[in-house]
Amino acid sequence: MPTISYKMGPLKGKIFAPGDKSISHRSLILGAMAKGKTNITGLLEGADIMATAEAMNKLGARVERIKKGEWIIKGCGEAGLISPSEPIDCGNAGTGVRLLMGAISGYKISATFKGDTSLSSRPMARVLNPLEQMGIEYNCDEGETLPATIISSGNLKSIDYVSPHASAQVKSAILLAGINTSGVTSITEHTLSRDHSENMLKAFGATINIETQGQGQKVSIKGPVTLKGTDISIPGDPSSAAFPIIAAIITPGSDILVQNVMMNPTRIGLFTTLTEMGAYLRADNYRTSGGEIIADIHVKYSQLNGVIVPEERAPSMIDEYPILAVAAAYAKGTTVMRGIAEMRVKESDRIKATFELLIKNGVDVKEHSDGLSIKGGSVTGGATVLTHHDHRIAMSALILGINAENPITIDDSSMIATSFPTFFELMAEIGAKIEVTK
Ligand code: S3P
């Protein structure tokens, strides 16, 4: 469905950030592996997460929705996950499929994974290779893409893996496989990636050891362990909160409060960068919920200045570069974002898609092999942008349109529901004008 965003007056109001996507996936997977019941509140009911919920049912757990955001899982415990009778469709979700591949590997199982066109073009070798070293067998397309079938005897050996990627998906897949492996399974990363799996595994009773190594870490899990069901409250997603936050920062006169935003240090690189650019962004009312720090974020319209984003900050804001590029388009001076070649293998080639979004709408932008340089100023808008079935490109384009001289159209907005099903509702609540055309 083509969708248009128009220039509007100031954005005002108080909204709640939707549940965190990373933590929602993990809560369903660990709950399904655990013994006993897991009660979840605040679950993100986006399409990516619903695909994981469905997958856990196919793998033998009982996942049930009680009411909005409230779910109960009866986990498989010692009986273990079972081979599904049909392929598991992970839809658009890279996190879902990569974590599931790790989770099932520790059981005697055979399972086929598939996904939509975007997911079927994304690399899976980064997870399949270490899992193969642990003892699984797999078949997939030549390019190591989906569909892929994993066959495991359930007798994995523990490994001490040094990851070439600072990727929480790779780290998590190995740790999840390590749950049912005898001995200590370790993964070393040169730069810190998000640590939600470590935090949640501890909450489910696993022994996790973390050793700092320079800028990175070695994370180990001692297996085998029977996870125990627990209660999980999902905090608000900083990656989703980024869209209304930047909408307010670029729209003159705006003043909004986004409540319940997770402030885990491995996730808030964008907020640090916006503050360095001169944004009025204040986090207040800090508290903890479900083992994570959360806060309310107050933002106001601000004249931003371009900055050079430190490359080592990338893992803590890897999903936020497209929307940061929108902020940079309205900033004074040049913003340089390099060291983010990983963006090319997300739901779309996000470097290329962001470049196209900006150049088509009159922004001075240069594409590098590993990033972008954006010279801010006026945004003429007026173009129709191709989203390549990527939710973060779609939302970034619509936010760019909120202060552009002419409305910006996107080819389709349906995939926004994968991560932020309440996007349109919340943006309308603070006064944005975004119209989905029939
Ligand atoms: C995620 C990790 C990141 C991120 C993705 C969610 C996770 O991917 O881009 O949206 O929940 O572990 P990588 O681990 O590939 O960097």
Side-chain angles (χ1 to χ4, degrees):
M1 286 171 302
T3 302
I4 311 172
S5 76
Y6 299 87
K7 188 174 177 116
M8 277 304 287
L11 305 177
K12 304 258 177 180
K14 288 184 190 176
I15 52 175
F16 279 93
D20 187 72
K21 181 155 78 76
S22 294
I23 298 192
S24 294
H25 278 299
R26 287 160 172 81
S27 65
L28 292 170
I29 296 172
L30 291 188
M33 295 170 86
K35 184 175 178 179
K37 269 194 190 150
T38 291
N39 299 298
I40 306 174
T41 51
L43 189 83
L44 171 71
E45 294 181 348
D48 277 12
I49 305 303
M50 295 303 99
T52 295
E54 176 77 33
M56 300 334 295
N57 274 326
K58 283 188 180 162
L59 289 162
R62 237 183 56 220
V63 181
E64 215 183 303
R65 182 181 196 263
I66 306 304
K67 60 179 193 214
K68 190 166 186 277
E70 234 182 274
W71 291 63
I72 291 188
I73 308 175
K74 193 158 173 289
C76 294
E78 282 115 346
L81 301 179
I82 55 166
S83 298
S85 55
E86 51 181 306
I88 290 177
D89 188 348
C90 291
N92 191 245
T95 303
V97 73
R98 293 190 177 124
L99 266 57
L100 280 170
M101 284 176 166
I104 67 154
S105 288
Y107 301 96
K108 184 170 166 28
I109 213 163
S110 158
T112 299
F113 295 94
K114 61 179 190 174
D116 69 6
T117 342
S118 151
L119 187 57
S120 302
S121 68
R122 297 180 65 185
M124 294 298 143
R126 54 182 59 197
V127 167
L128 291 169
N129 291 345
L131 292 176
E132 189 177 36
Q133 287 177 30
M134 293 177 83
I136 64 145
E137 287 174 24
Y138 71 90
N139 299 308
C140 65
D141 274 11
E142 245 175 57
E144 309 271 317
T145 51
L146 298 183
T149 301
I150 289 186
I151 302 144
S152 176
S153 64
N155 286 320
L156 297 189
K157 57 174 185 291
S158 50
I159 55 169
D160 188 353
Y161 188 69
V162 179
S163 179
H165 311 277
S167 161
Q169 294 177 355
V170 173
K171 173 174 65 179
S172 303
I174 294 171
L175 293 175
L176 293 177
I179 292 171
N180 291 301
T181 306
S182 294
V184 175
T185 298
S186 309
I187 163 147
T188 304
E189 290 184 317
H190 299 299
T191 317
L192 233 59
S193 64
R194 63 191 70 190
D195 59 1
H196 309 307
S197 295
E198 296 89 304
N199 296 342
M200 204 181 283
L201 278 163
K202 284 185 203 159
F204 275 87
T207 304
I208 300 288
N209 188 51
I210 299 172
E211 240 175 75
T212 305
Q213 295 202 344
Q215 302 253 40
Q217 269 183 349
K218 178 173 183 170
V219 182
S220 314
I221 181 164
K222 192 168 176 302
V225 53
T226 304
L227 303 179
K228 284 175 208 68
T230 186
D231 291 351
I232 303 205
S233 140
I234 314 272
D237 195 328
S239 303
S240 297
F243 296 100
I245 284 176
I246 287 184
I249 289 174
I250 62 171
T251 307
S254 299
D255 185 335
I256 67 162
L257 187 74
V258 186
Q259 300 168 88
N260 203 36
V261 181
M262 176 171 53
M263 299 298 282
N264 180 315
T266 64
R267 293 289 299 282
I268 54 168
L270 174 75
F271 301 154
T272 309
T273 306
L274 288 170
T275 304
E276 287 171 0
M277 292 173 86
Y280 180 100
L281 187 151
R282 307 272 185 277
D284 214 346
N285 191 18
Y286 277 92
R287 55 230 190 250
T288 49
S289 171
E292 295 284 357
I293 307 166
I294 55 175
D296 300 334
I297 297 189
H298 182 196
V299 277
K300 291 188 195 179
Y301 166 71
S302 316
Q303 177 54 63
L304 301 178
N305 295 304
V307 290
I308 298 174
V309 186
E311 294 189 13
E312 64 277 9
R313 195 175 287 162
S316 68
M317 54 181 292
I318 191 65
D319 293 334
E320 281 71 83
Y321 284 95
I323 189 62
L324 175 65
V326 170
Y330 288 101
K332 209 165 131 225
T334 302
T335 297
V336 181
M337 24 181 111
R338 305 289 300 258
I340 48 172
E342 189 60 20
M343 289 246 298
R344 294 202 183 272
V345 290
K346 294 293 179 187
E347 283 82 333
S348 70
D349 175 344
R350 285 187 177 158
I351 293 181
K352 190 160 161 265
T354 306
F355 172 79
E356 281 168 4
L357 157 66
L358 296 181
I359 199 112
K360 275 186 150 184
N361 286 292
V363 180
D364 187 353
V365 52
K366 270 199 199 71
E367 180 179 353
H368 311 289
S369 59
D370 67 338
L372 296 163
S373 296
I374 299 152
K375 191 158 175 241
S378 68
V379 180
T380 48
T384 295
V385 175
L386 297 182
T387 53
H388 307 282
H389 207 68
D390 186 329
H391 54 127
R392 297 203 199 276
I393 297 299
M395 289 185 276
S396 299
L398 294 172
I399 301 298
L400 186 72
I402 272 175
N403 200 35
E405 288 161 33
N406 300 288
I408 292 179
T409 305
I410 59 172
D411 58 346
D412 183 29
S413 63
S414 56
M415 86 307 277
I416 290 176
T418 58
S419 69
F420 198 161
T422 51
F423 174 76
F424 293 103
E425 207 177 295
L426 294 186
M427 291 308 297
E429 215 174 301
I430 55 174
K433 187 178 172 200
I434 301 175
E435 281 175 5
V436 181
T437 63
K438 300 275 173 252

